[in-house]
Amino acid sequence: MPLTGVSPADTLVLVFDILGGYPPDARLVGRTLPVVPADLTPDAPPRTLIDGSGPEVVAGSRVVVQYVAASWPSRTVVDSSYRRGGPSAFTLEAGSVPAAWAGALAGRRVGSRVAVPSPGPRPMLYVIDILDTITRA
């Protein structure tokens, strides 16, 4: 018998409680789809485009977002959660999100839209709508 106390002959029943969900077209209430600001460059600081009034996003928490990613300097959209079918959830820590996101989103509030430049060998420009946050217990 394995250390877990469950043998191959045992029957397991798994129960999942779905606590919530997000529709594929979830977006900030009453807002249009995000557009990369014309004056945003990869070396600019992150900028709040819409101030949210929800809970504060904390480093290390899960954050639910919709986003648009554009390459620099062409500003061609190369990724979009809106195009892929819905929001994505990420743990807001290095290695789980693009490097520029962790510092740019921590301290912002749910309901915010943030323009996040990302310098580097392949500079990117992100516009991120923060839909929800789930703080670790």
Side-chain angles (χ1 to χ4, degrees):
M1 183 171 285
L3 295 176
T4 61
V6 179
S7 75
D10 289 339
T11 300
L12 294 177
V13 176
L14 301 175
V15 177
F16 295 92
D17 290 331
I18 299 174
L19 302 175
Y22 305 90
D25 62 347
R27 66 175 82 177
L28 300 181
V29 176
R31 302 298 182 164
T32 60
L33 293 175
V35 175
V36 176
D39 63 340
L40 188 65
T41 60
D43 57 344
R47 182 182 335 153
T48 300
L49 303 174
I50 297 171
D51 279 317
S53 59
E56 185 175 308
V57 175
V58 177
S61 65
R62 299 276 294 167
V63 62
V64 180
V65 300
Q66 289 268 42
Y67 66 92
V68 172
S71 63
W72 174 262
S74 70
R75 296 181 180 275
T76 303
V77 174
V78 295
D79 190 17
S80 169
S81 60
Y82 291 97
R83 289 183 184 171
R84 280 188 290 105
S88 298
F90 301 97
T91 300
L92 196 57
E93 62 188 12
S96 296
V97 293
W101 287 27
L105 299 184
R108 311 286 179 164
R109 296 198 169 277
V110 170
S112 295
R113 176 172 288 167
V114 184
V116 181
S118 181
R122 296 182 60 208
M124 299 290 290
L125 307 172
Y126 297 96
V127 178
I128 304 165
D129 288 349
I130 304 171
L131 303 179
D132 201 358
T133 186
I134 304 161
T135 305
R136 293 182 184 174

